Amino acid sequence: MQWDRKKGKFIVSLDFELMWGVRDVVTIDNYGEHIRGVHKALPRILNSFSKYNIHGTFAAVGFLFFENKKELLENLPDLKPAYINSKLSPYGDYLKDSLGPGYPEDTNHYGSHLIKLIQSTPNQEIGTHTFCHYYCLEEGQKIEDFEQDLRSAINIAAKRGITLRSIIFPRNQVNKKYLPTCWDAGITSYRNNENSWLYTARSGDNESLTRRGLRLLDSYINLSGYHCVSWPIIEDGLPVNIPSSRFLRPYSRNLRMLDTLRLKRIKDSMTYAAKNNLIYHLWWHPHNFGINHEENFAFLEKILIHYTFLEKKYEFKSCTMSELAGELLKKNINAEVYAGSK
């Protein structure tokens, strides 16, 4: 795929995790409807992407690739993160007590059928959200644990015929010390956070209600800028940094009267990127669309219709994270290292 580097790019990435991504903050009883709803929402997301020719990156937790509990337990890494806060780890009692035998008996933890659906949809990339939804800034874990986690994710993806080229760090906990490990493992791109103090990566204990509140407000009113970026600079031995521009917040009945502002915030930034030949990077989780399907998909369609307008007027082009990285890296690394994405 060839583009004019002088034209803007539209990147969409999704953190695909099911219960693995939220099990330390919610329960199946109080959040299970959102998780189970992914099995209907994700195919619909893919249909929307196909309709509007969106190239999406789906960063999947490695646990989702497994067909059943037996297969998962047989492929755990030897080293596991020893978080000071043991609640953060999915290993041990959680695996034993909460994980069902497989799909469809357990719709909260298994997603191999959805992985296959993404894999069979044109122009979609499957990246990694680490193997176990690994937190790279939490106390107790170390780089050796992360190396094994990443290797486990790469191995199970390879068994499914998938080469992982992009990583999205869980909870956006980008640990720059771990980036060379990602590069050495064949990862060519990662999603970084917005360039604002509101979005700087922090551990869970160091997060504040003030920052959360301001980020919510920033979704409706431009407090921190458009967060559109120029073409990333290549750094030797590191994956390409493709920062986020905006988290697509799900429909909220309590805030529905502000949806016009929420849409304007996104469309204004997309337009700014297209006019100024910059990159705009939108992201969310499939489980954000797990409920309120009609409202969420109606909102998404308005964004994608606007993308179509910008594509025609400014040659604003959709691409996956690894496609963008490949365009930058193809002269820097050999074709065997950059295998592209499917």
Side-chain angles (χ1 to χ4, degrees):
M1 184 176 187
Q2 299 291 329
W3 309 291
D4 183 350
R5 291 196 188 187
K6 296 180 181 179
K7 303 299 181 181
K9 302 295 177 285
F10 182 46
I11 294 179
V12 176
S13 62
L14 294 97
D15 303 11
F16 179 29
E17 53 194 37
L18 293 182
M19 198 66 192
W20 300 112
V22 294
R23 42 152 293 280
D24 56 311
V25 291
V26 298
T27 66
I28 291 174
D29 288 340
N30 64 28
Y31 201 72
E33 184 181 4
H34 296 73
I35 300 300
R36 292 186 291 274
V38 172
H39 297 274
K40 291 183 178 179
L42 194 143
R44 192 167 172 180
I45 290 170
L46 290 170
N47 287 338
S48 295
F49 285 4
S50 295
K51 178 180 178 181
Y52 292 98
N53 195 26
I54 299 298
H55 295 214
T57 295
F58 291 78
V61 171
F63 283 174
L64 296 177
F65 287 79
F66 294 100
E67 302 281 351
N68 54 64
K69 186 173 184 176
K70 180 177 183 295
E71 183 189 21
L72 192 156
L73 294 178
E74 288 175 348
N75 286 275
L76 300 182
D78 293 329
L79 293 178
K80 301 172 182 64
Y83 304 117
I84 299 300
N85 179 2
S86 61
K87 186 180 178 181
L88 298 176
S89 177
Y91 296 107
D93 289 343
Y94 188 85
L95 278 182
K96 182 178 66 174
D97 299 335
S98 300
L99 185 61
Y103 182 86
E105 295 89 347
D106 182 349
T107 57
N108 296 299
H109 298 96
Y110 292 98
S112 62
H113 60 296
L114 296 174
I115 296 286
K116 292 173 185 176
L117 186 60
I118 300 168
Q119 198 175 4
S120 65
T121 303
N123 300 319
Q124 307 308 309
E125 172 191 12
I126 297 174
T128 184
H129 203 35
T130 71
F131 187 64
C132 74
H133 205 257
Y134 189 105
Y135 303 122
C136 293
L137 293 179
E138 299 295 341
E139 292 186 28
Q141 57 81 34
K142 55 187 184 296
I143 193 167
E144 292 81 6
D145 306 332
F146 175 75
E147 288 172 350
Q148 286 210 9
D149 181 276
L150 182 59
R151 179 52 55 190
S152 295
I154 290 170
N155 288 344
I156 187 56
K159 289 181 180 179
R160 306 296 189 249
I162 298 165
T163 301
L164 300 178
R165 293 301 182 200
S166 300
I167 187 168
I168 294 174
F169 292 92
R171 303 277 162 85
N172 296 312
Q173 291 189 9
V174 177
N175 189 329
K176 293 185 177 180
K177 294 179 181 178
Y178 292 5
L179 293 177
T181 295
C182 295
W183 176 259
D184 291 343
I187 301 296
T188 58
S189 69
Y190 72 102
R191 190 183 73 207
N192 205 347
N193 300 301
E194 294 93 322
N195 185 24
S196 165
W197 72 274
L198 287 178
Y199 300 95
T200 303
R202 292 182 180 180
S203 66
D205 287 342
N206 290 320
E207 190 50 275
S208 69
L209 289 175
T210 299
R211 285 213 322 166
R212 290 192 180 101
L214 288 173
R215 286 199 297 267
L216 175 62
L217 187 59
D218 193 37
S219 296
Y220 297 90
I221 302 171
N222 189 346
L223 296 180
S224 63
Y226 289 125
H227 297 297
C228 304
V229 298
S230 59
W231 282 72
I233 298 172
I234 299 298
E235 296 184 65
D236 289 341
L238 296 180
V240 176
N241 173 8
I242 306 176
S244 163
S245 301
R246 179 62 44 202
F247 169 56
L248 177 56
R249 291 187 178 274
Y251 171 81
S252 167
R253 181 174 176 80
N254 292 334
L255 296 173
R256 67 189 184 279
M257 299 302 292
L258 298 177
D259 270 357
T260 300
L261 290 176
R262 182 164 66 103
L263 181 62
K264 184 178 185 298
R265 178 78 165 104
I266 293 171
K267 289 172 65 175
D268 284 353
S269 296
M270 290 173 65
T271 301
Y272 183 84
K275 283 184 174 180
N276 293 280
N277 306 317
L278 301 173
I279 297 166
Y280 185 79
H281 189 167
L282 185 70
W283 72 277
W284 71 98
H285 311 85
H287 63 75
N288 296 137
F289 281 22
I291 63 171
N292 300 316
H293 291 180
E294 298 311 314
E295 293 86 353
N296 281 312
F297 278 99
F299 193 90
L300 176 62
E301 184 152 31
K302 291 174 183 177
I303 294 172
L304 300 186
I305 289 171
H306 187 61
Y307 161 72
T308 300
F309 165 75
L310 296 174
E311 181 187 24
K312 291 177 180 177
K313 186 170 183 178
Y314 301 105
E315 297 182 57
F316 196 46
K317 293 294 184 183
S318 172
C319 60
T320 67
M321 289 174 61
S322 68
E323 284 172 342
L324 181 64
E327 181 68 15
L328 287 166
L329 294 169
K330 63 184 180 182
K331 295 182 180 179
N332 301 71
I333 57 179
N334 62 54
E336 184 177 353
V337 173
Y338 174 66
S341 63
K342 282 189 175 182

